[in-house]
Amino acid sequence: MDSAEILRKRKYRHSLVRDFDSDRVLSAFLLGDDRPTLIFICQNNSDSSGTLPDLRDLERIVGMSLTVRDARKVEDGLAVVQQGQVQRVVLDESAFDREKIYLRSPDNTSALEISGEDFKALLEDLGFETESETARLRIYDFGYAAVRQSAQNRVVSGIQPSGDMTLGNYLGAVVNWQKQVENYDENFFFLADLHSLTTLPDPADLRDRIFKTVATLVACGLDLDKATLFRQSDLGGYHTELAWIFSCLTPEGRLEQMTQFKEKARKQEFVGSGLKTYPILMAADIAIYQATLVPVGEDQRQHLELAREIIRRFNGRYGYTMPVPKADMPQVLARVMSLTDGTSKMSKSNPNRDSCIYLLDNPDDIKRKIKRAKTDSNRDLFFDENRPEISNLLGIYQVLSGLAQAEVVEQFKGQGAAKLKAQLTEAVIEALRPIREQYDRLSADRDRVLEILSQGKARVEPIAQQTLAAVKQRVGL
Ligand code: TYM
């Protein structure tokens, strides 16, 4: 019996297949499989006199050539077809009436056993909509589940464990993360530990910092019921495989234009190629979770713009697969500057520890650093781009006090830098006190931190898996 005949034996209405919007039938796969499996579910139409779509119609819908894989396994209402490595299942809606359904893995070494009823419920829970209103042919589209889900907002952002977290990280990013956690249900934040290898850190130091950074983030008050924290390298396979695919779509010249690359390359004795391709991995970090919103500080603007370009190029070439994310930056003070040089950003990797306020600094450190912070001799205090140090201190005070810019200027009119520094010191100490206290409690509980990371991994992995499978099928792998 040839494949077309197997399908023809069942009575589906040909015309409805033709009517079907083929754009909506995209790549697909079974959850838990690393190979895409497309599932067509067709309403049982055996009473009607309609004709069956033949294989060519299915091929047209799927957009690739198909062969039936094992004719004997084709039971009533169910056919397994395969193109290359990609296995597809065609089944009749009557399948839902069965006591058990076996969904086999592409290599046939395992199968998911599920009752027809549960299978249907599962598909619905996962958001694979049926085209039930118009169609006798029903389509559950697995590959695009991730895309469909991303119609909602999903917030994704990361931080490198490349040093102790600074006030710049906090005001530039974490405060916005917290704000998004209030607004959205899906918030994924991760330790970009693969990124931090670009500066070849000492392995023992890196391990400590990973732990410390997670504990600091939790201590900042991220609501772990609504925010998921995980480690990039725990899902490294997904991130880096997508990054590789993205790298094939990224013009090399674009990487050379990145300001951060140029700055870091100037400072580092050894410049590995990872330092240059770093923004591609960032694009993959974002796209693998179908992010729609990425809260970052101003220094990441250029990287995010490149990520958007890469994702647009992928979607343009292979069809819509992931959303083009928006950046979300603080309205005030998207760039916190160094205390010792108002023209460079406050950076956790700056070896001069007096240039930064760290989130875990004690009150004495904070007092000393702010006291020594660079200012100028003009007693009149106002925001002015030609006075970067004063503007930075005023800006930090503005954000921490919640005042408007004009109110801050009014408050310090003619007061001189010493007064500003005293008030700022108080504000910073108060803002960081709860973080430090919470950190002290958490740092004694290593298991809790590890548990947070492993829960995070479990939560995000299915999404990464879905996206990567869809991407691979899209590109022809
Ligand atoms: P990283 O670790 O340098 O910084 C983490 C976050 O803090 C922000 N930030 C600042 N904001 C304002 N002023 C500053 N002085 C300041 N310093 C740091 C950063 O903008 C960032 O939002 N490549 C990223 C990590 C990353 C990522 C991603 C971020 C990897 N993949 C995907 C978003 C999405 C980085 O090195 O951030």
Side-chain angles (χ1 to χ4, degrees):
M1 198 164 13
D2 84 1
S3 52
E5 217 176 316
I6 293 167
L7 288 166
R8 209 168 290 122
K9 267 189 69 190
R10 257 155 259 113
K11 295 171 183 162
Y12 301 96
R13 283 183 85 93
H14 200 177
S15 58
L16 283 169
V17 177
R18 287 230 168 88
D19 285 349
F20 198 83
D21 173 5
S22 62
D23 280 351
R24 291 159 83 177
V25 185
L26 304 159
S27 54
F29 59 95
L30 257 180
L31 230 80
D33 273 342
D34 62 353
R35 295 257 169 72
T37 299
L38 184 64
I39 298 207
F40 283 89
I41 297 186
C42 307
Q43 262 184 347
N44 187 356
N45 201 22
S46 52
D47 295 341
S48 90
S49 55
T51 50
L52 179 78
D54 71 16
L55 204 57
R56 274 186 301 277
D57 289 298
L58 280 175
E59 285 174 344
R60 194 173 50 74
I61 293 171
V62 176
M64 58 200 330
S65 59
L66 303 172
T67 50
V68 167
R69 193 170 120 110
D70 182 347
R72 279 161 310 158
K73 295 251 167 56
V74 179
E75 298 154 30
D76 212 17
L78 183 137
V80 180
V81 289
Q82 176 157 339
Q83 197 260 352
Q85 305 271 33
V86 181
Q87 190 191 44
R88 308 174 155 215
V89 179
V90 182
L91 74 142
D92 188 289
E93 205 193 42
S94 63
F96 293 140
D97 300 334
R98 291 190 195 154
E99 211 172 304
K100 295 259 186 299
I101 290 181
Y102 295 92
L103 301 169
R104 286 170 297 156
S105 64
D107 60 3
N108 257 339
T109 54
S110 61
L112 179 71
E113 183 191 283
I114 190 164
S115 73
E117 206 179 305
D118 285 348
F119 182 48
K120 189 170 190 181
L122 173 75
L123 296 177
E124 276 160 18
D125 284 350
L126 292 172
F128 302 118
E129 289 154 23
T130 58
E131 303 294 331
S132 52
E133 269 174 39
T134 51
R136 287 160 197 276
L137 181 68
R138 287 193 173 196
I139 309 257
Y140 285 86
D141 184 345
F142 279 73
Y144 279 75
V147 176
R148 289 223 183 101
Q149 284 169 13
S150 73
Q152 308 151 13
N153 271 302
R154 184 173 289 140
V155 179
V156 173
S157 197
I159 180 164
Q160 287 193 67
S162 51
D164 295 337
M165 279 179 65
T166 69
L167 196 62
N169 299 130
Y170 184 64
L171 300 180
V174 180
V175 167
N176 257 3
W177 295 7
Q178 278 164 321
K179 191 181 80 196
Q180 303 309 349
V181 169
E182 306 282 309
N183 296 338
Y184 300 109
D185 290 335
E186 295 212 288
N187 300 276
F188 298 168
F189 304 120
F190 63 92
L191 275 295
D193 51 359
L194 293 173
H195 274 102
S196 62
L197 294 180
T198 52
T199 54
L200 299 176
D202 173 74
D205 270 2
L206 179 60
R207 259 187 283 278
D208 277 355
R209 279 177 180 160
I210 288 169
F211 174 83
K212 204 170 173 186
T213 310
V214 187
T216 312
L217 281 173
V218 177
C220 287
L222 278 180
D223 176 354
L224 292 177
D225 287 335
K226 291 183 81 185
T228 301
L229 269 184
F230 64 96
R231 214 172 126 162
Q232 186 186 32
S233 64
D234 278 347
L235 295 122
Y238 305 102
H239 290 239
T240 55
E241 195 168 349
L242 182 56
W244 172 254
I245 293 170
F246 277 177
S247 75
C248 301
L249 284 166
T250 310
E252 214 221 340
R254 285 292 282 123
L255 299 170
E256 308 251 349
Q257 292 164 357
M258 297 292 117
T259 323
Q260 214 172 75
F261 166 67
K262 288 192 267 190
E263 273 171 14
K264 286 191 181 172
R266 219 180 305 125
K267 284 186 207 150
Q268 282 182 213
E269 210 173 289
F270 172 78
V271 179
S273 55
L275 195 67
K276 202 193 260 185
T277 55
Y278 172 120
I280 301 178
L281 181 57
M282 240 180 103
D285 297 336
I286 296 166
I288 197 87
Y289 301 110
Q290 306 278 338
T292 55
L293 198 69
V294 185
V296 283
E298 158 69 32
D299 60 317
Q300 297 299 325
R301 182 191 293 278
Q302 219 184 12
H303 291 161
L304 211 70
E305 203 31 67
L306 181 56
R308 285 162 54 85
E309 268 174 53
I310 295 171
I311 294 170
R312 253 190 245 117
R313 184 166 296 128
F314 186 96
N315 287 343
R317 191 178 178 93
Y318 298 108
Y320 184 81
T321 311
M322 45 232 157
V324 180
K326 289 204 181 80
D328 175 50
M329 286 177 205
Q331 308 235 311
V332 181
L333 208 69
R335 195 176 184 87
V336 180
M337 307 311 277
S338 149
L339 296 182
T340 49
D341 169 13
T343 61
S344 62
K345 73 163 184 175
M346 184 180 282
S347 163
K348 53 178 142 45
S349 53
N350 189 333
N352 176 7
R353 291 187 66 87
D354 279 353
S355 69
C356 292
I357 292 172
Y358 300 101
L359 297 188
L360 304 177
D361 273 349
N362 63 42
D364 287 343
D365 287 335
I366 296 170
K367 227 177 268 174
R368 181 178 47 80
K369 288 182 186 180
I370 296 183
K371 197 164 175 194
R372 288 192 193 161
K374 192 171 168 197
T375 52
D376 57 45
S377 53
N378 185 347
R379 283 190 67 77
D380 226 5
L381 303 183
F382 50 87
F383 290 89
D384 178 353
E385 59 184 45
N386 297 317
R387 297 174 71 192
E389 286 87 10
I390 285 293
S391 301
N392 188 42
L393 298 182
L394 285 170
I396 298 173
Y397 185 77
Q398 184 190 338
V399 176
L400 293 179
S401 66
L403 296 171
Q405 195 177 91
E407 293 172 312
V408 172
V409 173
E410 186 57 33
Q411 181 175 342
F412 293 110
K413 214 174 192 172
Q415 301 275 336
K419 179 80 181 172
L420 168 63
K421 284 180 168 184
Q423 298 268 306
L424 180 63
T425 301
E426 226 172 275
V428 173
I429 289 174
E430 280 322 301
L432 300 190
R433 187 191 307 281
I435 299 177
R436 213 175 34 251
E437 286 172 0
Q438 180 63 6
Y439 177 84
D440 287 342
R441 278 192 286 274
L442 255 172
S443 63
D445 195 353
R446 209 176 172 88
D447 287 349
R448 172 70 189 125
V449 173
L450 297 178
E451 184 191 44
I452 290 169
L453 292 179
S454 93
Q455 285 169 346
K457 177 184 182 213
R459 165 77 183 88
V460 301
E461 187 163 17
I463 299 164
Q465 214 164 37
Q466 283 186 344
T467 305
L468 188 61
V471 163
K472 286 172 77 171
Q473 196 188 21
R474 282 300 216 185
V475 301
L477 295 176

Short mmCIF file of all heavy atoms in Angstrom, two decimals, residues 14 73 115 158 163 166 421 445:
data_model
loop_
_atom_site.label_atom_id
_atom_site.label_comp_id
_atom_site.label_asym_id
_atom_site.label_seq_id
_atom_site.Cartn_x
_atom_site.Cartn_y
_atom_site.Cartn_z
N HIS A 14 -11.13 16.94 1.13
CA HIS A 14 -10.05 17.54 0.38
C HIS A 14 -10.16 19.07 0.36
O HIS A 14 -9.23 19.79 0.62
CB HIS A 14 -10.10 17.00 -1.04
CG HIS A 14 -8.82 17.15 -1.76
ND1 HIS A 14 -8.63 16.67 -3.01
CD2 HIS A 14 -7.68 17.73 -1.39
CE1 HIS A 14 -7.40 16.95 -3.39
NE2 HIS A 14 -6.81 17.59 -2.41
N LYS A 73 2.51 0.60 11.05
CA LYS A 73 2.20 1.29 12.30
C LYS A 73 1.06 2.29 12.13
O LYS A 73 0.63 2.92 13.06
CB LYS A 73 3.44 2.05 12.79
CG LYS A 73 4.57 1.13 13.16
CD LYS A 73 4.77 1.12 14.66
CE LYS A 73 5.67 0.00 15.13
NZ LYS A 73 6.99 0.03 14.47
N SER A 115 -3.56 9.01 27.76
CA SER A 115 -4.92 8.68 27.31
C SER A 115 -5.36 9.73 26.30
O SER A 115 -4.87 10.87 26.32
CB SER A 115 -5.88 8.66 28.50
OG SER A 115 -6.12 9.99 28.91
N GLY A 158 19.70 39.59 31.66
CA GLY A 158 20.79 38.87 32.29
C GLY A 158 21.82 39.80 32.90
O GLY A 158 21.85 40.99 32.63
N GLY A 163 31.85 40.35 38.73
CA GLY A 163 32.34 41.16 39.84
C GLY A 163 31.19 41.37 40.79
O GLY A 163 30.08 40.91 40.54
N THR A 166 26.97 46.29 41.37
CA THR A 166 27.12 47.72 41.71
C THR A 166 25.77 48.44 41.73
O THR A 166 24.76 47.91 41.26
CB THR A 166 27.98 48.44 40.66
OG1 THR A 166 27.23 48.51 39.44
CG2 THR A 166 29.30 47.73 40.40
N LYS A 421 26.70 65.40 49.06
CA LYS A 421 27.33 64.13 49.40
C LYS A 421 26.76 63.55 50.70
O LYS A 421 26.55 62.34 50.81
CB LYS A 421 28.84 64.29 49.50
CG LYS A 421 29.51 64.41 48.14
CD LYS A 421 31.01 64.56 48.29
CE LYS A 421 31.73 64.38 46.96
NZ LYS A 421 33.18 64.43 47.12
N ASP A 445 22.87 30.12 53.43
CA ASP A 445 22.02 29.02 52.97
C ASP A 445 22.31 28.69 51.51
O ASP A 445 21.54 28.98 50.61
CB ASP A 445 20.55 29.44 53.16
CG ASP A 445 19.60 28.26 53.04
OD1 ASP A 445 20.07 27.15 52.70
OD2 ASP A 445 18.40 28.45 53.28
#
